[in-house]
Amino acid sequence: MGKHLGQRLCLGSIFVLLLGGTSWSAPLDGPTLYEGACESCHGTDGRGSPEGTGLIVPLPDFTDCSFSSSEPTSDWTDVITNGGAFMGLSDQMPAFDEALSPEEIWTVLTYVRNFCQEEGWPSGDLNFHKTLFTSKAFPENEAVLKQEFIKGKKGTKEWTTTLSHEQRLGARGEWELSLPYIVRETREKTTAGPGDLSLEYKHVLSTHTEKRALTAATLEVVFPSGDRDRGLGDGTFKFEPSFLSAIALHQFVFQNQIQAVLPLDEDRADRQMRYRLAGSYMPSLLRRDLVPSLEVEFRHNLQGESNEVLLLTPQLYTSLRFRGHVALRIGAQIPIAGTDPFHYRIGAALVWEYLEGGLWW
């Protein structure tokens, strides 16, 4: 949900006066609905004109494609139908479930979204939930705090805290910067410090809104910033290209990642292929629902001995804020076949869509 979406979609009390208790023999078109209902708050051009309306909240610019395309249609219709308070937003956005039919709500919403005149922006209906290890294809503005614990072999334990910043570039691009901090414990000693910094670029290749599917490609460069001698990094540059895809089938979402790990120095890190598939069950279109997911990952070494491993990660997603812009995902990864790289891994990710609202509101 966009920040103050209920406020941004303020259709105003004039809407109730114009539409309440009135019926038409035929549905109104988008321009007519917008002119009679929305224009007094949002202006003729959709950029907002709150003067004289008594509004005390900021209004959006509907011509800003990054705003109008980032959230799913269900979020918009829920706010218009049930009011801002229904989505944890301002109660200055009234409910219009009695004033407008579902068809009229869809009509005026379609008209509002058409204020965005730039092509190529993926629909927010393709913005599926992030899973723990499979990268998502949709570009985002997010901050992610990820915590992992690995119970390794020979008594080793490793805690990794990774802070990632994701920011959109234009209609289809995104860059992401990630920095891990590692605490590694062996039977002999404990070491701690920053790990290998990574920088990634993502680009959406194709979108199919009606089929609820999209594809993207990424290139991640891992820098040898961690101390290899202390077990905090690989000590070599790595290039990690990926192909990403996602599709929704009824209440299930499937996300896929095919990734190559290509170290510059193959004596310091293994050259690998990784295949990840994540399936999620969506109880409804509300972003605050509990969402169970299952990830399957297959790793295959491309050099030396052919070490292969199959990993399984059951997990659960839950929103921490009513409108879903702050969420938590937690799960456990277990090797189930092949050469075990560790005994188990526990992971948790705190996801914050920072342009949608604060951490605490």
Side-chain angles (χ1 to χ4, degrees):
M1 177 64 57
K3 180 181 179 182
H4 303 307
L5 180 54
Q7 308 150 6
R8 296 168 173 181
L9 286 175
C10 170
L11 301 177
S13 58
I14 188 173
F15 210 157
V16 178
L17 295 175
L18 288 171
L19 301 180
T22 306
S23 61
W24 290 274
S25 58
L28 297 178
D29 59 20
T32 302
L33 284 168
Y34 184 85
E35 181 182 0
C38 316
E39 190 173 298
S40 62
C41 289
H42 292 289
T44 305
D45 59 1
R47 296 179 183 273
S49 71
E51 293 80 4
T53 63
L55 295 176
I56 58 173
V57 293
L59 292 173
D61 180 356
F62 287 147
T63 66
D64 180 0
C65 297
S66 64
F67 164 73
S68 60
S69 67
S70 62
E71 305 304 333
T73 301
S74 59
D75 282 11
W76 291 71
T77 55
D78 281 340
V79 169
I80 298 174
T81 303
N82 303 300
F86 178 79
M87 295 295 289
L89 301 168
S90 171
D91 58 7
Q92 286 195 290
M93 171 63 197
F96 293 99
D97 54 333
E98 295 182 1
L100 291 176
S101 69
E103 293 77 14
E104 289 166 335
I105 289 175
W106 178 266
T107 298
V108 73
L109 175 54
T110 301
Y111 181 78
V112 166
R113 280 187 155 179
N114 283 336
F115 278 114
C116 165
Q117 295 296 306
E118 299 177 36
E119 297 182 356
W121 290 81
S123 167
D125 292 329
L126 307 178
N127 188 1
F128 305 124
H129 291 310
K130 182 191 294 289
T131 57
L132 276 175
F133 301 109
T134 304
S135 296
K136 65 187 291 185
F138 194 90
E140 276 281 32
N141 293 298
E142 287 183 337
V144 180
L145 180 65
K146 189 173 182 180
Q147 180 71 56
E148 297 179 27
F149 169 75
I150 295 178
K151 173 64 174 176
K153 296 181 177 180
K154 300 179 181 179
T156 63
K157 299 176 183 178
E158 188 171 288
W159 293 262
T160 302
T161 303
T162 304
L163 180 61
S164 301
H165 175 82
E166 305 167 6
Q167 187 168 323
R168 294 188 70 161
L169 287 174
R172 296 192 170 221
E174 175 200 286
W175 66 267
E176 177 180 345
L177 184 67
S178 298
L179 178 63
Y181 186 86
I182 302 170
V183 179
R184 194 167 188 270
E185 179 183 321
T186 67
R187 291 173 180 173
E188 294 78 24
K189 61 180 180 179
T190 299
T191 57
D196 289 342
L197 177 76
S198 66
L199 179 64
E200 178 184 273
Y201 175 73
K202 178 191 300 180
H203 193 83
V204 176
L205 301 176
S206 66
T207 62
H208 304 278
T209 304
E210 296 78 14
K211 297 179 180 179
R212 299 186 68 196
L214 76 162
T215 64
T218 70
L219 177 60
E220 182 175 2
V221 180
V222 182
F223 299 85
S225 55
D227 189 336
R228 183 173 184 270
D229 294 334
R230 300 170 63 212
L232 303 177
D234 288 326
T236 180
F237 282 93
K238 292 189 294 185
F239 300 91
E240 301 182 0
S242 292
F243 174 78
L244 311 174
S245 63
I247 187 169
L249 301 173
H250 302 291
Q251 289 181 277
F252 292 91
V253 173
F254 298 96
Q255 301 183 74
N256 176 65
Q257 180 180 14
I258 301 173
Q259 181 183 47
V261 179
L262 308 172
L264 212 57
D265 185 346
E266 295 182 2
D267 293 330
R268 296 196 163 198
D270 292 335
R271 189 157 45 97
Q272 286 187 341
M273 288 297 300
R274 297 175 180 175
Y275 308 89
R276 298 185 180 114
L277 176 64
S280 302
Y281 174 70
M282 311 294 294
S284 75
L285 295 177
L286 289 175
R287 297 176 65 189
R288 56 180 178 264
D289 282 339
L290 288 173
V291 178
S293 302
L294 181 66
E295 285 185 90
V296 179
E297 178 176 345
F298 177 73
R299 298 181 186 176
H300 173 62
N301 273 15
L302 300 176
Q303 66 188 76
E305 296 184 4
S306 180
N307 295 325
E308 299 177 346
V309 62
L310 184 64
L311 304 161
L312 200 64
T313 312
Q315 57 197 266
L316 187 67
Y317 166 98
T318 181
S319 173
L320 300 181
R321 291 291 171 266
F322 200 66
R323 61 182 181 273
H325 70 289
V326 181
L328 177 69
R329 182 174 290 275
I330 187 168
Q333 188 175 66
I334 307 167
I336 59 173
T339 305
D340 295 350
F342 47 78
H343 291 304
Y344 60 86
R345 182 203 309 251
I346 304 295
L350 177 68
V351 181
W352 172 29
E353 296 180 44
Y354 54 84
L355 293 184
E356 314 302 323
L359 273 173
W360 313 116
W361 51 271

